[in-house]
Amino acid sequence: MAALERFLSQAGFDRGPWLTVAFGTGIIAWFGLPSPGWWIGFCGLLCALAVASFAPWARRQAYPHVLRAILILPLLIAAGCLAVWARSAVVGELPLERPIAGTFTAKVLDIQPQPALERDRLILAMREPGSGRAIKVRVNIPGAGIASRVNVGDLVRIKARLMPPAPPMLPGAYNFARTAWFSGLAGSGTATGEVQVVERGAPGGGWLSGLRRRLSAHIRTRIGKDGAGIAGALVTGDRGGIAEADDQAMRDSGLAHLLSVSGLHVSAVVGAVYVLFVRGLALFPWLALRVRLPVVAAGAGALAGVAYTLISGSEVPTVRSCIGALLVLGALVLGREGLSLRMLAVAAFCVLLLWPEAVTGPSFQMSFGAVLALVALSTAEPIRRFVAPRGESLAMRMLRHVAMLLLTGVVIDLVLMPIGLFHFHRAGIYGALANVLAIPLTTFIIMPLLGGALLLDIVGAGSPLWWLADVAIDWLMGIAHWFASRPGSVTILPAGGTGAFLLFVAGGIWLGLWSGRIRWLGLPFALLGAGLLATAAPPDILVSSDGRHVGLVESGGARLFVLREGGKGYARDNLMELAGMEGEPVALDRWPGAHCNRDFCAITIEREKTKWRLLISRGRDAVPERALAAACDRSDIVIADRWLPRSCRPRWFKADKDMLQRTGGLAVHLSPEQVDTVAGSQGEHGWWRPVNPRAGRVSLTPR
């Protein structure tokens, strides 16, 4: 206690960021704990710990810092847990009980054109058939042009097939059900007929989304087809027009952050407006002598930042960046340092208070991770000495700035790579070099050209700037495709464990928030977490939640054998992604030594000198029960997308339709005899709805 008190009293650290970390920890705990009983017990324990800080004892006055930490931190952790629980209860919408098809009458809440995918997307409010409850659904409309015929607020009649939001297909896969829950969506689907307008909505409804669509449509008419999607993403945040190949190249080259309106874009707009107002108003001596120009410029920059945030869709990264920019402007007006950990902490706390679920998403983690790395790097004493003004030539100053830009890119890439690997199982290697070229091109050439072209279009004189912007976007895409095509440009790894990722995050936060030598205590934990993610072994067997898709990973992870072949699709991409592989999968009947007929495949897998016998269903015809029972007796694992009789008793477990409805998808590691299930990571949160509620009583004990 005495040593801890001395440390806290002498550390001289900023307490604000740690309060935000505590609040976020409570949010993460809510997602990790399985049920309301756990949430209540967790918050009760924290409150009891806070109350214990008031307990009278002899040397109480000797430890003020420790007692303050014991009081405040548990209360903030509990507040985070309760905040996300309240958010879930308020906005969460129970999913549809089953798929439904028919003709529905609904009100249009939002329209999202996606020309690159040759479809439009409608967000609709309607009544659920049968129950009559008000629900919100998302419907994809094949083709394009619905935005020109339908307005927000219109009442439409649509023939469609709707599905409940899909849970993760496999452990570690994308959880659309959770995203839909916090978006208030009860279902999603595709239109199977024409959309008919029954009644027009009130004029002016959804004017902001309408302005975004009109801007995107205007950009598509003024710039080449290849560059229109990128230009639309930079101006309005609409990524629906970006071709799949370009989107993939931006991800593989480490430039995908340029397509998400966030800190780079908001700061460029705010900074440009600030400089223009300060320099422009300074040309009028009478005004400059009577008005504080930085205050006026800060107000103009703030208005520009808020307007850009609204026009670009007000996504979480944009809101976070806007809050950060407003705080920086406020600091400049007050004469304080703009870029600081406290500013970052306030912005993060505001986002977590409004959208606590964002803490689990890659957007929040990457944006705040990048800014934390930037602030920690810029405030480090060696870096301050390196960039300090000195008497040297212009060429040396330029070289110093380029070196600093490259170092910043490398550090941010090292911070973001484990986050990308955890969420997407792939990360670009040359991102630092690509960003050295792409960030100045985007910030100082493309965005000013787009802004100037839009302004000049008011008087019909924007054509030259549109042409230049198109050329500059071609350069940007050339950079992305060149770096993405370099040998070894992309690292692909199988799904890693949540524990390893949390270890990396904890070490990184410690490194970023402390100053002095104490910060280096976080480095071993960050390196250990990143190392565990990088060395994660792929599962030996992957089974989808419906049992129709099975993947077997070859020893050494060279190839993936799949039960059902086919072109690119959601199931195939998930299997390849979770296995950490690229290329084309191989048919299951080509597994060495496989014995397959039209009904089943019998396969033997050897791991660490132990042989595992699998029986995998591949047909839907009736099978004689005695023959099936005998085959099950000879097998360790049986996998089927149908119900199997009780007489089928393999030596380890039977993953038939009955079990998969309770567990969801499976990831099986044979050597440690470990089975990860989707149900095991979902608990009793509202978005998880197993068909059979006995999900917690599935026995997968080792054989």
Side-chain angles (χ1 to χ4, degrees):
M1 287 279 286
L4 184 58
E5 179 65 28
R6 283 196 303 272
F7 168 73
L8 292 177
S9 62
Q10 298 172 6
F13 63 98
D14 195 343
R15 295 170 177 81
W18 289 105
L19 302 181
T20 301
V21 170
F23 190 76
T25 301
I27 297 172
I28 294 172
W30 183 83
F31 282 100
L33 296 173
S35 64
W38 280 90
W39 309 333
I40 294 172
F42 179 69
C43 293
L45 182 63
L46 291 169
C47 291
L49 183 60
V51 171
S53 66
F54 293 101
W57 50 296
R59 302 194 59 196
R60 172 185 171 82
Q61 301 301 323
Y63 307 108
H65 291 89
V66 173
L67 292 178
R68 191 178 298 118
I70 294 175
L71 170 64
I72 296 175
L73 293 181
L75 289 179
L76 276 170
I77 295 173
C81 182
L82 294 174
V84 68
W85 190 359
R87 165 83 172 163
S88 174
V90 170
V91 305
E93 187 65 57
L94 289 176
L96 299 173
E97 291 187 0
R98 55 182 175 78
I100 56 175
T103 301
F104 311 105
T105 301
K107 183 178 181 179
V108 179
L109 301 179
D110 194 16
I111 305 170
Q112 301 170 357
Q114 296 180 319
L117 301 176
E118 298 183 349
R119 72 185 186 194
D120 291 330
R121 177 173 284 171
L122 299 181
I123 307 298
L124 304 173
M126 55 177 284
R127 295 284 179 181
E128 183 181 19
S131 68
R133 69 179 174 120
I135 59 173
K136 186 167 69 172
V137 298
R138 191 185 75 182
V139 180
N140 295 325
I141 314 295
I146 191 66
S148 62
R149 296 185 285 110
V150 176
N151 297 317
V152 173
D154 288 352
L155 196 66
V156 298
R157 183 176 292 113
I158 181 172
K159 185 177 182 181
R161 176 176 172 82
L162 302 177
M163 302 282 291
M169 176 182 164
L170 297 161
Y174 174 61
N175 193 346
F176 176 61
R178 185 174 68 189
T179 302
W181 175 265
F182 284 103
S183 301
L185 293 174
S188 63
T190 303
T192 56
E194 287 292 325
V195 178
Q196 301 175 357
V197 178
V198 177
E199 181 182 336
R200 288 293 180 184
W207 66 271
L208 190 58
S209 62
L211 175 62
R212 291 183 64 207
R213 293 196 304 276
R214 288 193 296 273
L215 273 175
S216 297
H218 179 73
I219 291 170
R220 285 194 292 270
T221 63
R222 300 292 286 165
I223 204 167
K225 180 180 179 182
D226 294 336
I230 303 296
L234 294 175
V235 175
T236 67
D238 178 10
R239 301 179 60 173
I242 303 175
E244 183 179 354
D246 291 341
D247 199 22
Q248 188 64 50
M250 293 293 282
R251 287 197 297 268
D252 291 346
S253 61
L255 302 179
H257 65 96
L258 297 178
L259 302 180
S260 174
V261 178
S262 56
L264 175 68
H265 312 78
V266 175
S267 60
V269 171
V270 172
V273 172
Y274 181 89
V275 171
L276 286 174
F277 267 75
V278 165
R279 300 294 187 186
L281 296 178
L283 298 176
F284 302 93
W286 181 90
L287 189 64
L289 292 173
R290 290 167 174 80
V291 178
R292 287 189 61 196
L293 297 187
V295 175
V296 176
L303 290 175
V306 172
Y308 186 40
T309 299
L310 294 174
I311 290 174
S312 61
S314 302
E315 299 292 337
V316 171
T318 320
V319 173
R320 186 269 308 164
S321 304
C322 184
I323 294 173
L326 295 180
L327 291 172
V328 169
L329 291 173
L332 291 175
V333 169
L334 296 174
R336 304 286 295 274
E337 184 178 2
L339 191 62
S340 66
L341 290 176
R342 185 171 296 179
M343 177 273 291
L344 181 65
V346 172
F349 189 84
C350 292
V351 172
L352 292 179
L353 194 61
L354 296 173
W355 301 283
E357 70 277 7
V359 74
T360 62
S363 175
F364 178 92
Q365 295 166 8
M366 286 185 159
S367 59
F368 278 97
V371 179
L372 178 59
L374 179 63
V375 174
L377 185 67
S378 64
T379 56
E381 190 58 34
I383 300 300
R384 286 181 180 272
R385 289 197 299 267
F386 181 77
V387 299
R390 65 198 72 189
E392 58 186 5
S393 65
L394 178 62
M396 285 302 298
R397 287 202 303 271
M398 292 296 295
L399 285 175
R400 198 178 297 277
H401 284 301
V402 170
M404 189 63 201
L405 184 62
L406 185 60
L407 175 63
T408 302
V410 170
V411 171
I412 291 177
D413 266 7
L414 291 175
V415 170
L416 299 188
M417 189 176 294
I419 302 176
L421 290 174
F422 178 75
H423 288 283
F424 309 117
H425 317 298
R426 60 189 295 140
I429 299 298
Y430 305 126
L433 295 174
N435 276 285
V436 169
L437 300 174
I439 288 179
L441 176 63
T442 304
T443 307
F444 301 115
I445 297 179
I446 296 177
M447 291 191 65
L449 286 174
L450 292 174
L454 288 170
L455 289 176
L456 290 178
D457 269 357
I458 298 175
V459 295
S463 296
L465 294 189
W466 285 119
W467 181 82
L468 290 173
D470 194 13
V471 172
I473 290 174
D474 285 342
W475 292 350
L476 176 64
M477 296 315 303
I479 293 171
H481 282 280
W482 190 84
F483 277 101
S485 63
R486 295 306 91 196
S489 61
V490 180
T491 296
I492 300 175
L493 293 174
T498 304
F501 180 65
L502 291 177
L503 191 64
F504 164 77
V505 171
I509 290 175
W510 187 277
L511 268 171
L513 296 189
W514 288 109
S515 59
R517 294 181 179 179
I518 188 67
R519 76 182 341 169
W520 297 110
L521 288 178
L523 184 61
F525 295 97
L527 292 177
L528 178 60
L532 291 175
L533 286 173
T535 57
D540 298 295
I541 306 169
L542 292 164
V543 184
S544 67
S545 54
D546 59 4
R548 291 181 52 80
H549 300 281
V550 180
L552 303 184
V553 179
E554 189 177 41
S555 180
R559 293 183 296 175
L560 178 70
F561 293 78
V562 295
L563 179 62
R564 286 178 169 82
E565 286 187 289
K568 288 188 176 181
Y570 181 76
R572 178 254 192 203
D573 291 346
N574 266 266
L575 290 171
M576 296 295 291
E577 186 178 288
L578 271 295
M581 295 183 184
E582 274 194 312
E584 291 297 325
V586 183
L588 194 64
D589 54 14
R590 293 173 57 188
W591 181 275
H595 299 281
C596 298
N597 57 28
R598 59 180 295 174
D599 297 311
F600 284 91
C601 272
I603 292 173
T604 300
I605 300 179
E606 186 171 351
R607 294 288 187 270
E608 295 185 1
K609 299 181 180 180
T610 301
K611 292 185 177 181
W612 301 81
R613 294 174 176 82
L614 277 64
L615 185 65
I616 303 174
S617 170
R618 62 186 309 198
R620 303 303 295 269
D621 296 337
V623 178
E625 184 174 353
R626 283 195 173 186
L628 177 59
C632 291
D633 289 341
R634 295 191 297 269
S635 305
D636 298 295
I637 302 170
V638 176
I639 302 170
D641 60 348
R642 61 171 105 178
W643 283 283
L644 296 179
R646 294 184 178 220
S647 57
C648 177
R649 296 181 178 178
R651 285 191 284 270
W652 188 6
F653 69 87
K654 176 178 63 178
D656 65 347
K657 193 167 187 177
D658 177 61
M659 173 181 162
L660 292 173
Q661 284 181 342
R662 294 177 273 143
T663 63
L666 308 176
V668 183
H669 298 265
L670 294 177
S671 294
E673 298 189 2
Q674 174 185 336
V675 180
D676 297 325
T677 68
V678 169
S681 62
Q682 304 303 305
E684 296 180 16
H685 296 89
W687 56 83
W688 172 247
R689 286 289 186 271
V691 175
N692 190 324
R694 297 183 294 117
R697 295 197 292 271
V698 175
S699 176
L700 293 175
T701 53
R703 61 175 187 171

